Amino acid sequence: MRMRILRLHPFWSLVLFLGFLFHTPLAEAQQTHPPANTMLDFSGLLEGMVQRVSPAVVLIQTRGFSAGDDEGSPLIRARRGSGSGVIVDPSGYIVTNAHVVGNARVVQVTLQDRGEPDVRFRSVLKPSGKALPAKVVGMDRETDIAVLKVEASGLPYLEFGDSETLRQGQVALAFGSPFGLQNSVTMGVVSSVARQVHEDDPMIYIQTDAAINPGNSGGPLIDVSGRVIGINTFIISPSGANDGIGFAVPSNIARTVYQQVRQHGRVRRGQIGVISQTITPALAQALSLPRNWGVILSDVVPSGPADAAGLQPKDIILTLDGRVMENARQFGVNIYQHAGETITLEILRNGEILSRRVAVRERPRDPDRILTYVDESTGLIGRL
């Protein structure tokens, strides 16, 4: 019996091949599990995070007096201002910038509306929220942080993140009320995790390109987990509007100021009576130092705590309470955080490692120390 070979037209051969291809298990699996839309997932993540964060961000409006700006203006004139803040405790504590409320006689905080949505109304325009009077609990002008209190409870609030773990390039979102436009959000990245205005300045800032404008001051800088990583403070811009160079007080500094203001009404800063300097390769070469990094004492105040403990100029600070000191800014910050305590310094002098116990005194010329003597009920200072 002879077999007959069936020959298909090239067109039908192609149809059968494509049918076989698209009915393989691999093809079926790809159709059943389509690839994830990464950008859509990222957008959804940001949307959900914004919905969680926004209710804890407030608009701050102030009224007060200031000196006249021009020769023809009155010596004293009424002034209104606005800024932003973030609720950090459900009992009504709010963190903002000191310059937002510094000269205000009246401070008002507008909370975002948290009412249940009414199915009858679907307008995209939302109510402005409830306005409450706020009391200035305390402020610290050196870090430009202030703490307010409103009489409310059960408020939505945000937690501080750890600014020490920030990395350059991380996504960051700035919340606030630029130009009074309540409940605005912008996105950018962390441009720098630690920027100083002046060399060896104890104050550092997070730099971001997230749009920050007048009115954003005091609002939070948020990471993608919804934690406060900074308090938006100022910008560098020839025009006065956003140029992509904004700065925020790191959350670890803001948290420390907030906690001290709640506990003491002010920030206590310590000193030991030294002038420290960051060691650079050029300085190490000029002074023939044994290392080209770290902290060196350039002067010791006579009769101060450091002098009493036996510290001398040109001593190299190795550790403070066991923590390696890398630069003068780090050393100064660790000193002022221990006001009223005793610290242990490990120093290098003439090739010998020595240990010294040093008492940390509270800085005597701190202008905020006078707040300790103020009677809050009368606003007067008792007899000294």
Side-chain angles (χ1 to χ4, degrees), residues 39-325:
M39 291 301 296
L40 191 61
D41 291 343
F42 180 64
S43 179
L45 172 67
L46 293 181
E47 182 182 353
M49 189 265 289
V50 169
Q51 291 178 352
R52 296 194 308 271
V53 170
S54 290
V57 181
V58 301
L59 167 67
I60 299 174
Q61 295 173 303
T62 63
R63 297 199 307 270
F65 299 96
S66 65
D69 299 327
D70 305 319
E71 291 185 4
S73 64
L75 293 178
I76 298 178
R77 57 181 297 181
R79 183 177 296 273
R80 294 175 179 268
S82 67
S84 307
V86 55
I87 304 171
V88 295
D89 188 283
S91 61
Y93 284 94
I94 297 168
V95 170
T96 184
N97 282 147
H99 76 259
V100 171
V101 297
N103 298 318
R105 299 295 299 272
V106 177
V107 180
Q108 179 178 275
V109 168
T110 302
L111 308 177
Q112 293 195 28
D113 182 68
R114 294 190 297 142
E116 292 297 327
D118 192 324
V119 295
R120 296 174 300 172
F121 306 108
R122 298 184 180 276
S123 171
V124 294
L125 296 177
K126 304 301 180 184
S128 60
K130 185 178 182 180
L132 297 173
K135 171 187 175 183
V136 179
V137 179
M139 67 178 71
D140 180 57
R141 297 184 186 276
E142 289 193 28
T143 57
D144 200 11
I145 293 294
V147 179
L148 310 181
K149 177 69 168 66
V150 295
E151 294 304 321
S153 60
L155 297 178
Y157 70 100
L158 300 180
E159 296 181 349
F160 287 105
D162 183 1
S163 54
E164 292 290 332
T165 64
L166 286 181
R167 295 295 179 266
Q168 193 174 29
Q170 285 186 221
V171 174
L173 287 89
F175 287 76
S177 303
F179 303 108
L181 301 173
Q182 187 181 6
N183 190 18
S184 296
V185 58
T186 56
M187 185 178 72
V189 299
V190 174
S191 305
S192 174
V193 298
R195 190 71 76 190
Q196 289 176 297
V197 177
H198 306 290
E199 187 178 359
D200 286 343
D201 192 330
M203 190 61 199
I204 61 172
Y205 300 92
I206 299 168
Q207 181 184 334
T208 179
D209 68 345
I212 296 175
N213 288 289
N216 271 116
S217 292
L221 188 68
I222 302 293
D223 64 12
V224 292
S225 66
R227 294 180 180 270
V228 178
I229 57 174
I231 300 297
N232 302 320
T233 301
F234 69 97
I235 60 176
I236 293 179
S237 169
S239 65
N242 173 64
D243 272 344
I245 306 178
F247 299 90
V249 177
S251 57
N252 288 5
I253 295 178
R255 181 198 293 112
T256 298
V257 172
Y258 163 69
Q259 291 172 343
Q260 289 210 38
V261 167
R262 282 197 62 174
Q263 183 177 358
H264 307 292
R266 59 189 173 86
V267 177
R268 302 175 64 208
R269 287 183 171 84
Q271 65 175 18
I272 60 174
V274 298
I275 297 177
S276 60
Q277 191 172 353
T278 299
I279 299 174
T280 63
L283 182 64
Q285 183 178 6
L287 298 180
S288 300
L289 301 180
R291 57 196 295 182
N292 61 4
W293 65 276
V295 183
I296 188 171
L297 299 184
S298 55
D299 199 5
V300 176
V301 178
S303 303
D307 184 38
L311 295 181
Q312 299 176 10
K314 209 176 177 180
D315 283 346
I316 295 177
I317 305 298
L318 301 178
T319 65
L320 188 156
D321 286 344
R323 183 176 183 181
V324 176
M325 293 291 103

Side-chain angles (χ1 to χ4, degrees), residues 26-41:
L26 177 60
E28 291 178 358
Q30 290 176 339
Q31 291 176 348
T32 305
H33 303 286
N37 189 327
T38 305
M39 291 301 296
L40 191 61
D41 291 343

